[in-house]
């Protein structure tokens, strides 16, 4: 049994032209042979293309809605012939046995009942009439129809600094037709998962149809210092024990440069200090923040004097972090 074209595209029978086109483009991106190497994808794409070629044309869609999958076997002037009582041909001698398997019920217009005597053989091009059943011209209809090219995707790996600054970059991608190079403009402040669109650089269209688009999906490479959470940047900030205890203003290196941050007195490891607006830029909104996480450090090999001072502090201090709540 032939598949229902609406089911092939996954749209309701009430779908308008825009919904049908959107459904086609979505499915074409998934099953186009240029992007999907599954052997079954090519056959699936042919079904999608056939369904779109029928449902995207208002007249063809109207005939499909009326006559169903066999609409190509119904002559264009069917209504006029029925009204004239001529059946298909208008000449002498009835064709005994309809192409639909004998007697039919009332047609969808409800105007009359089709019987086997309605199908007059004279003047009928049987290749057109039965071609859809045996691979003739009707069966090939739509295969050369214009179709838009499939959208394609590729990953673009950037460092945190590149994503922060943006700029121009040459990107070379491999494909079935060989390597292609592009000069890509990277917006400042792109984030992981964001897509950069290169219009018309996707799969080639058929006939006069336009090519699809190429989308570069941004992937931010791991960084030894920075951790990203959306547009917020997290960085460890080492401070000395006396800076943490007494307070200090210390430099913090971010992808946009070095900024100063005030460490409040009595700061312990793990405390986060927020620097507003110092995270990833946002061309259409507020930038992210830079979070400096305190890491209290002590001298790995204290000098004799440093050791003496630490011993003096230990002798006079009553502070016990293990008793703190």
């Amino acid at each position: 049994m032939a598949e229902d074209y609406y089911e092939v595209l996954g749209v309701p029978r009430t779908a308008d032209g825009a919904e049908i086109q959107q459904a086609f483009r979505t499915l074409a991106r998934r099953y186009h042979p240029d992007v999907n190497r599954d052997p079954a994808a090519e056959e699936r794409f042919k079904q999608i293309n056939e369904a779109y070629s029928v449902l995207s044309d208002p007249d063809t869609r109207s005939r499909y809605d009326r006559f169903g999958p066999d609409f190509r076997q119904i002559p264009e002037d069917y209504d006029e012939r029925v009204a004239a009582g001529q059946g298909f041909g208008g000449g002498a001698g009835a064709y005994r046995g309809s192409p639909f398997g004998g007697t039919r019920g009332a047609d969808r217009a409800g105007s009359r009942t089709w019987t086997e005597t309605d199908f007059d053989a004279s003047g009928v091009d049987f290749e057109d009439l039965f071609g859809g059943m045996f691979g003739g011209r009707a069966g090939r209809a739509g295969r050369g129809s214009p179709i838009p090219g499939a959208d394609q995707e590729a990953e673009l790996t950037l460092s945190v600094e590149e994503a922060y600054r943006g700029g121009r970059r040459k990107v070379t991608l491999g494909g079935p037709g060989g390597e292609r190079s592009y000069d890509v403009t990277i917006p400042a402040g792109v984030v992981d998962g964001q897509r950069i669109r290169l219009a018309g650089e996707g799969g080639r269209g058929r006939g006069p149809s336009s090519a699809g688009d190429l989308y570069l999906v941004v992937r931010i490479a791991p960084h030894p210092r920075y951790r990203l959470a959306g547009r917020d940047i997290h960085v460890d900030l080492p401070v000395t024990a006396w800076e943490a205890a007494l307070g200090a203003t210390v430099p913090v290196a971010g992808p946009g440069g070095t900024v100063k941050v005030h460490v409040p007195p009595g700061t312990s490891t793990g405390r986060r200090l927020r620097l507003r607006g110092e995270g990833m830029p946002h061309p259409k909104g507020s930038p992210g923040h830079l979070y400096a996480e305190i890491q209290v450090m002590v001298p790995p090999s204290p000098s004799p004097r440093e050791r003496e001072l630490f011993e003096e502090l230990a002798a006079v201090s009553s502070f016990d972090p293990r008793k703190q709540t």
Side-chain angles (χ1 to χ4, degrees), residues 164-178:
Y164 183 94
R165 294 190 304 265
R168 302 283 294 178
R169 176 168 168 181
K170 185 173 183 179
V171 176
T172 301
L173 301 174

Side-chain angles (χ1 to χ4, degrees), residues 191 226-234 272 280 288-289 291:
V191 295
Y226 307 123
R227 302 180 299 278
L228 298 185
R231 296 189 181 277
D232 293 335
I233 302 173
H234 296 255
R272 291 194 306 169
M280 298 291 284
H289 306 307
Y291 289 91

Side-chain angles (χ1 to χ4, degrees), residues 45-81:
F45 182 75
K46 290 179 181 178
Q47 295 173 342
I48 294 165
N49 181 38
E50 171 70 9
Y52 178 70
S53 69
V54 171
L55 300 185
S56 62
D57 182 273
D59 293 335
T60 309
R61 179 181 178 181
S62 177
R63 286 174 54 76
Y64 175 75
D65 287 343
R66 183 178 180 188
F67 299 112
D70 297 320
F71 74 98
R72 290 194 180 94
Q73 279 74 57
I74 305 299
E76 297 286 345
D77 59 350
Y78 167 77
D79 288 326
E80 289 80 359
R81 295 188 184 190

